[in-house]
Amino acid sequence: MCRHLGYLGPAVPVASLVHDPPNSLVRQSYAPTDMRGGGTINVDGYGVGWYPAPGGPALRYRRAGTIWSDDNLVALSRVTVSGAVLAAVRSATVGMPVVDTACAPFTDGQWLFSHNGRIADWPESVVDVAKTLPVSTLLTLDAPTDSSLLWALVRSRLAAGGAPAAVIADVVSEVAAVAPGSRLNLLLTNGTVLVGTTWTHSLWVRSGDGAVVLASEPLDDDPRWREVPDGHVVTADVSAVDVQRIGRG
Ligand code: GLN
């Protein structure tokens, strides 16, 4: 399964999350510690999203390939400073294309989104769910992947005014109901709130000192890391972390 992380807090260099920690996202791409049978390494792509101006739209950089090979990203990450970051490394699900546009984060305006996992029995299991979207949306998915469909579902509901945590939890419940056995670990931010789910994969939270990090694996040995139990949605900002159970389908 892919690895992802989200950060909210004082502005920091992107490299302090993606490259520098002992268990950085770069390290998790070649030596993840907790893949739970979903592949072994995360070498099919990567992406980083951040906010050049607080309150403004997100900027996103994503590529297919191995994150450790990208010297341009190292240089960019050292000089790019942001108070909100969402980053991911990808292990492509068998049968899904290895292209830039299949890599998280997916973005629209202020939103950044990532999916760690897979939709079981793709694509047949979610045909009826996909039919709830306009044909034009289905024709312009970032890539023909399960993650892109999940993003289209989330994005359309956010655009309709849905609250982030409710949208994320509803999409997980609805997809899990029609595609049992799916792994639906979602991560979403707009730069001020961070929402993550655990649906058969790991998620850890570290909060304190006016900052919060959600990550598939702890980035370091800080004793403040707490594991989120499976089947939950976490809503976090710089001052509070709320964990709620998601109804199972
Ligand atoms: N199924 C998604 C993809 O192929 C996510 C993969 C993963 O989490 N390993 O992009």
Side-chain angles (χ1 to χ4, degrees):
M1 298 292 108
C2 308
R3 316 271 78 186
H4 54 205
L5 66 80
Y7 169 86
L8 296 177
V12 294
V14 168
S16 72
L17 299 159
V18 174
H19 292 86
D20 296 340
N23 193 36
S24 66
L25 206 58
V26 171
R27 183 176 173 82
Q28 291 178 45
S29 72
Y30 61 81
T33 59
D34 185 11
M35 292 288 276
R36 304 195 185 181
T40 51
I41 47 176
N42 301 289
V43 296
D44 297 316
Y46 53 93
V48 180
W50 69 93
Y51 297 84
L59 197 59
R60 182 267 319 279
Y61 175 95
R62 63 178 172 177
R63 299 290 305 274
T66 51
I67 189 170
W68 67 80
S69 310
D70 191 340
D71 283 346
N72 295 325
L73 180 63
V74 178
L76 190 66
S77 295
R78 298 232 173 278
V79 299
T80 300
V81 171
S82 180
V85 176
L86 194 152
V89 288
R90 178 176 183 232
S91 168
T93 297
V94 173
M96 297 198 181
V98 177
V99 292
D100 292 357
T101 53
C103 300
F106 300 89
T107 189
D108 182 20
Q110 285 188 271
W111 297 108
L112 291 167
F113 172 83
S114 170
H115 165 227
N116 163 6
R118 57 187 281 272
I119 292 179
D121 303 316
W122 168 267
E124 288 78 11
S125 57
V126 282
V127 165
D128 286 340
V129 175
K131 279 183 185 165
T132 64
L133 292 168
V135 172
S136 57
T137 300
L138 297 172
L139 289 174
T140 54
L141 290 179
D142 280 33
T145 64
D146 49 3
S147 303
S148 297
L149 178 71
L150 289 167
W151 169 230
L153 291 166
V154 167
R155 176 187 185 176
S156 73
R157 292 171 191 214
L158 291 171
V167 165
I168 289 286
D170 287 352
V171 167
V172 168
S173 295
E174 289 170 34
V175 171
V178 296
S182 295
R183 293 181 161 198
L184 303 167
N185 306 280
L186 312 185
L187 192 58
L188 176 76
T189 190
N190 58 2
T192 53
V193 67
L194 201 50
V195 179
T197 59
T198 49
W199 201 266
T200 73
H201 220 301
S202 58
L203 188 69
W204 294 74
V205 57
R206 188 189 74 200
S207 65
D209 303 328
V212 60
V213 186
L214 291 182
S216 304
E217 298 181 11
L219 303 180
D220 52 34
D221 59 6
D222 189 317
R224 292 174 297 180
W225 286 105
R226 298 275 175 268
E227 187 163 17
V228 179
D230 193 46
H232 284 69
V233 58
V234 185
T235 310
D237 61 24
V238 292
S239 56
V241 176
D242 179 61
V243 181
Q244 301 284 339
R245 191 170 170 74
I246 303 171
R248 282 262 169 190

